[in-house]
Amino acid sequence: MADQAPRPAREFVVEADGGSRGNPGPAGYGAVVLDPVTGEALVEAAEYLGVVTNNVAEYRGLLAGLRAAAELDPDATVHVRMDSKLVVEQMSGRWKIKHPDMKPLAAEAARVFPPGRVTYEWIPRASNKHADRLANEAMDAGARGEAWSPSDSTAELDAAAADRAAPAGRTAGSRRTGAASAVAPAGTEGGDGGEPAPDGGGAAAGEPLARAGRGRVDAASLGAGTRAATSTGASATGTSGAGAPATGTSATGTSGAGAPATGASGTGASAIGTSGAGAPATGTSATGTSGAGAPATGTSGTGASATGTSGAGAPATGAPGTGASATGAPATGAPGLGVAAETSGEADVRAAKVVASPGWGPPDMGAPATFVLLRHGETPLTPQKRFSGSGGSDPSLSPVGREQAERVAASLARRGTIEAVVASPLARTRETAGIVAARLGLEVAIEEGLRETDFGAWEGLTFGEVRERHPADLDAWLASPDAEPTGGGESFAATGTRIAATRDRLVAAYAGRTVLLVSHVTPIKTFVRLALGAPPESLFRMELSAASLSAVAYYADGGASVRLFNETSHLR
């Protein structure tokens, strides 16, 4: 019998994107595998990542897209199209990968297919609508405390509708042919730069036509967060990635970078921020009224019924009509209109080289020192809502608290952004930090300045018991930050002075790095209060859950931005 002719290798196009509403902030990725001839979407993948940087999310999107293509045919050749100049140039071998968070992700992506079987192409943001919408769907699902659902996705229809509504030169056809870009096999040697070819050039060889039809791949074989492409429904959410402010769970949105996505955000006032590198996060403290007169600050689990940001990923918001361009300069546009951040090849190259450019300031400020603030897990006193400061019994974690620490450790390990761990000297924080650090392969440094406020004679008491025994002292304490708890405890003013000094010391020690600080209710709220310039009484208007994550970035010019507050999605 004659030998069978070898099966010709299939070809796929992978489009991928990732976004972070805060950088680092609540993040997600989206990826789609396309047939290069028909443009048919074969597989979609999306996932909420928790708090990671924009670049980590983009690399995770690339990795998911390559894996989905390998599931379809491990012998295929793949052409990757992304609007991240950084990822394209690094994976093509033209730019060096210097950031420690990027190296393992890039190495993992390079191993999915053998060398030479994957090529990379930069495309404008407006040409990456499908993956962009998948990433936003994942982030919106995470903000609701849910996993991305393939059956609920409308990303393909949204992208097609946006293409139809786009002006001439930006139609569905132009997303395949409107931007001739430098295409190189993975691993190609090159220089530091890499200019994209100007818009309007011819299509690279093998680029797919406008997609049509529905995918026919069995989604069950592809794992959670991945599906064969079949989507119906109405328009989903706004933009992801560098420079675009994004709002929590949005019903409408635009695809162009720099155009804000608008919609209903979560309950309460969030610690807010714009997504992507180079855009500052701004915000106000979470607000609310104290429940039954009980303060949130300093009590283990007790506190104000604040309407602040809690749960999965505080939504980031931006003013309608404004957005941050990829280079950190503001771009303007009416709601519902895309404003392209990449106005030229040079602007995109510059943006990619300065992905850590903070705020609206100049690029030479460098990357900020980012403090990821973790409150310790529960102790036996937490559910009883008792004052538990640095002058009491120094309880260890309860079994629930240890499980919480394991969960946050797993979440932070997936995010891959923590470079150091620093903890308060108290038992509950050292134990929490030890569990997380062991998972991350890091050591724990102890910082005395991160300890909880000393509540004096109130240690171990409930708010009601303090009201009964020391009513005058309690009234004074609630009225003035200078008042001390009964028995010579520490005032909130003194705590604020201590935290400010600790902050300055740690910012100097960890400039440009992302550090996990494991601390307590009052210190973490104080970090946030000082970053916002809020008055001391704001401490009573913030709810901070056990094992929750918050984040503040500190810049070289002395500015600070709150990126996240009381995020607990990892506990669900």
Side-chain angles (χ1 to χ4, degrees):
M1 179 180 288
D3 291 339
Q4 268 191 323
R7 177 176 62 86
R10 298 178 69 183
E11 295 181 4
F12 298 125
V13 169
V14 168
E15 293 181 350
D17 197 13
S20 173
R21 295 171 179 172
N23 202 37
Y29 69 73
V32 57
V33 182
L34 303 168
D35 183 292
V37 177
T38 66
E40 179 182 2
L42 303 175
V43 182
E44 290 177 322
E47 184 184 0
Y48 175 66
L49 300 174
V51 177
V52 302
T53 64
N54 193 64
N55 297 140
V56 167
E58 289 170 337
Y59 263 105
R60 290 288 298 273
L62 167 64
L63 191 55
L66 291 174
R67 285 172 172 167
E71 287 279 347
L72 294 174
D73 188 344
D75 297 321
T77 58
V78 178
H79 183 60
V80 175
R81 300 158 53 88
M82 298 181 68
D83 61 57
S84 170
K85 187 72 175 177
L86 181 80
V87 175
V88 167
E89 294 300 319
Q90 287 181 342
M91 291 303 298
S92 298
R94 291 186 289 269
W95 289 359
K96 291 182 178 180
I97 304 172
K98 298 180 180 179
H99 199 286
D101 292 346
M102 304 299 108
K103 290 181 179 180
L105 292 170
E108 197 171 354
R111 289 193 294 268
V112 177
F113 286 94
R117 294 250 296 276
V118 182
T119 55
Y120 291 86
E121 175 190 3
W122 175 86
I123 57 175
R125 183 178 186 80
S127 298
N128 202 24
K129 297 182 181 74
H130 192 156
D132 175 86
R133 277 161 169 73
L134 287 169
N136 272 285
E137 286 184 354
M139 285 185 278
D140 289 337
R144 298 190 300 270
E146 302 170 0
W148 176 76
S149 171
S151 61
D152 293 338
S153 176
T154 62
E156 183 177 11
L157 292 180
D158 295 341
D163 280 338
R164 288 193 298 271
R170 290 293 185 189
T171 62
S174 71
R175 76 174 286 194
R176 305 287 183 253
T177 62
S181 304
V183 181
T188 302
E189 294 295 328
D192 294 330
E195 298 275 349
D199 285 350
E207 285 193 317
L209 306 175
R211 68 168 77 91
R214 292 285 187 266
R216 297 175 179 83
V217 182
D218 180 9
S221 68
L222 300 171
T226 311
R227 70 159 181 176
T230 57
S231 55
T232 60
S235 177
T237 59
T239 59
S240 68
T247 66
T249 54
S250 168
T252 62
T254 60
S255 63
T262 62
S265 64
T267 305
S270 65
I272 60 177
T274 58
S275 66
T282 61
T284 60
S285 63
T287 61
T289 57
S290 59
T297 304
T299 60
S300 296
T302 182
S305 59
T307 59
T309 53
S310 63
T317 63
T322 65
S325 71
T327 59
T332 60
L337 297 178
V339 182
E342 296 86 11
T343 55
S344 69
E346 291 182 352
D348 194 75
V349 171
R350 182 169 61 254
K353 288 181 177 179
V354 196
V355 292
S357 174
W360 301 111
D364 58 6
M365 279 202 299
T370 300
F371 292 169
V372 179
L373 306 167
L374 169 62
R375 185 189 169 194
H376 60 81
E378 284 190 11
T379 75
L381 299 181
T382 305
Q384 300 175 29
K385 300 185 178 181
R386 296 183 180 275
F387 282 92
S388 182
S390 58
S393 60
D394 194 15
S396 297
L397 297 180
S398 66
V400 170
R402 284 190 288 276
E403 182 181 353
Q404 290 171 333
E406 293 286 358
R407 286 175 178 262
V408 75
S411 177
L412 290 172
R414 287 193 300 269
R415 298 169 187 183
T417 56
I418 301 300
E419 300 172 78
V421 179
V422 182
S424 152
L426 300 184
R428 53 197 183 271
T429 42
R430 285 190 287 107
E431 190 174 356
T432 302
I435 291 171
V436 175
R439 185 68 176 264
L440 300 179
L442 299 171
E443 298 294 325
V444 179
I446 301 300
E447 169 56 59
E448 176 68 25
L450 294 176
R451 62 180 169 79
E452 180 59 287
T453 298
D454 183 345
F455 293 109
W458 302 351
E459 295 279 357
L461 302 180
T462 66
F463 185 83
E465 289 169 342
V466 173
R467 170 67 73 190
E468 259 181 36
R469 302 180 193 185
H470 310 285
D473 289 346
L474 181 61
D475 287 342
W477 182 74
L478 292 172
S480 171
D482 296 314
E484 298 176 351
T486 308
E490 186 179 22
S491 70
F492 283 158
T495 300
T497 300
R498 167 166 58 86
I499 294 302
T502 302
R503 173 203 62 199
D504 294 345
R505 191 162 58 247
L506 293 175
V507 166
Y510 295 100
R513 301 172 69 188
T514 299
V515 186
L516 181 70
L517 305 186
V518 187
S519 190
H520 310 263
V521 171
T522 316
I524 292 175
K525 289 184 179 182
T526 302
F527 274 109
V528 172
R529 178 184 76 78
L530 294 174
L532 295 172
E537 56 266 28
S538 64
L539 295 175
F540 294 107
R541 298 187 173 97
M542 288 186 265
E543 177 72 17
L544 195 71
S545 303
S548 64
L549 291 168
S550 303
V552 181
Y554 299 93
Y555 302 102
D557 65 352
S561 64
V562 175
R563 298 294 182 84
L564 187 71
F565 184 72
N566 198 35
E567 200 245 339
T568 57
S569 62
H570 49 276
L571 302 179
R572 292 195 287 273

